[in-house]
Amino acid sequence: MAEKVLTMEDDWGAKGAQATGAQVQKFLKDQIKSLHDKDVALQNQVDTLSNNQLEANPQLQAATDGCFVTYHRKSDDWPLAVPYWKWAALEAADEVADGVLVLIDGQAPIIVSPTGTQLKWSKNAIAVNADTGGDYNKAYVDYSGKTRTAAIMAKGVELFGEEEETWTQFAPAWCNAYDRSYDKGNGAIVGIGAGQWWLPSIAELITIWKHKYAINLCLSVISGASPLVESWHWSSTEGSAADAWALYLNDGGLPDWYTKVTDSHYVRAVAAFY
């Protein structure tokens, strides 16, 4: 005689529907599995609908404001970028974000680092490349953060002191040493490593300020990332031997007179998209 299979329609109180403990246990396991499968299927449908809605709705797309979560694909180290709402699935597949890609009209895009810090600019008052002086018109168009940071690092001992391991206590060297690379498990290194990041110039910082809400939206979906702080941020654009330009990420305040060796400001590294 075939073993009775319990269903939801059975009258469990009736004498003919009495079941063994094993039968009841199997029934409960089957019901729980069925509910789990339905939940997964429903969540997949919601995710699909959400993605379709985002991709079909120009207003929702505009919220990204030219900003994307960027990463180097683990399989081939190829640089890619996706809207923030697509990142969760990629991170769940063990991809690691480089940061937030920001498209700049007329300029090469930059990647904003997922995390920042708060530091002084230098230990000593040395002018490396103070060509902008206090000229706002020159500062507004200075996109040369990469070359400026390289020049600053070349003057490292004069600026930061003799002990190279302490250089990262200062804004330009901290950015230069920033590292988002990792070993994907077979000895191959993926991502953007130390020496490929720099302290942004004033024009690059202004771009970050312009897109700060979209950048923070992208940062919010990256594990371990921290949002941009609406406070003073150092740039690599120098005003003089004593001063460097800083930008207030709240209202765009832009003085050139913050003192390198005494003032402590927020710092974000940036990198190129390649």
Side-chain angles (χ1 to χ4, degrees), residues 57-67 84-85 213-215 217-218:
N57 191 325
Q59 289 182 326
L60 290 173
Q61 286 189 15
T64 64
D65 197 24
C67 298
Y84 72 92
W85 62 82
Y213 298 115
I215 292 171
L217 187 58
C218 291

Side-chain angles (χ1 to χ4, degrees), residues 188-223:
I189 303 300
V190 179
I192 305 175
Q196 295 178 282
W197 298 84
W198 65 86
L199 179 62
S201 63
I202 272 294
E204 290 166 336
L205 266 182
I206 290 172
T207 299
I208 292 171
W209 170 55
K210 174 184 176 182
H211 297 276
K212 65 181 178 182
Y213 298 115
I215 292 171
N216 277 343
L217 187 58
C218 291
L219 288 171
S220 71
V221 300
I222 300 173
S223 292

Side-chain angles (χ1 to χ4, degrees), residues 162-177:
E162 295 289 342
E163 301 297 327
E164 188 169 346
E165 60 268 22
T166 68
W167 289 5
T168 54
Q169 295 176 12
F170 302 99
W174 183 88
C175 292
N176 182 73

Side-chain angles (χ1 to χ4, degrees), residues 74 87-96 182:
K74 286 183 71 172
W87 179 245
L90 289 165
E91 190 170 77
D94 294 328
E95 298 290 357
V96 177
Y182 64 98

Side-chain angles (χ1 to χ4, degrees), residues 106-258:
Q107 300 290 331
I110 58 172
I111 297 171
V112 180
S113 64
T115 59
T117 189
Q118 194 171 12
L119 298 168
K120 295 175 182 177
W121 202 95
S122 67
K123 182 178 181 179
N124 300 308
I126 303 293
V128 179
N129 192 2
D131 54 331
T132 61
D135 190 333
Y136 282 77
N137 291 323
K138 290 181 179 179
Y140 282 132
V141 294
D142 176 23
Y143 290 92
S144 60
K146 184 176 182 179
T147 55
R148 287 184 182 279
T149 302
I152 291 164
M153 294 308 301
K155 288 265 190 179
V157 173
E158 294 178 56
L159 279 167
F160 310 127
E162 295 289 342
E163 301 297 327
E164 188 169 346
E165 60 268 22
T166 68
W167 289 5
T168 54
Q169 295 176 12
F170 302 99
W174 183 88
C175 292
N176 182 73
Y178 197 81
D179 192 351
R180 288 292 291 182
S181 65
Y182 64 98
D183 187 333
K184 64 180 184 178
N186 60 357
I189 303 300
V190 179
I192 305 175
Q196 295 178 282
W197 298 84
W198 65 86
L199 179 62
S201 63
I202 272 294
E204 290 166 336
L205 266 182
I206 290 172
T207 299
I208 292 171
W209 170 55
K210 174 184 176 182
H211 297 276
K212 65 181 178 182
Y213 298 115
I215 292 171
N216 277 343
L217 187 58
C218 291
L219 288 171
S220 71
V221 300
I222 300 173
S223 292
S226 57
L228 294 169
V229 180
E230 291 192 330
S231 187
W232 293 105
H233 281 67
W234 278 124
S235 82
S236 53
T237 307
E238 297 174 78
S240 68
D243 309 314
W245 290 80
L247 180 71
Y248 195 48
L249 287 194
N250 183 307
D251 58 15
L254 187 67
D256 67 318
W257 40 260
Y258 273 114

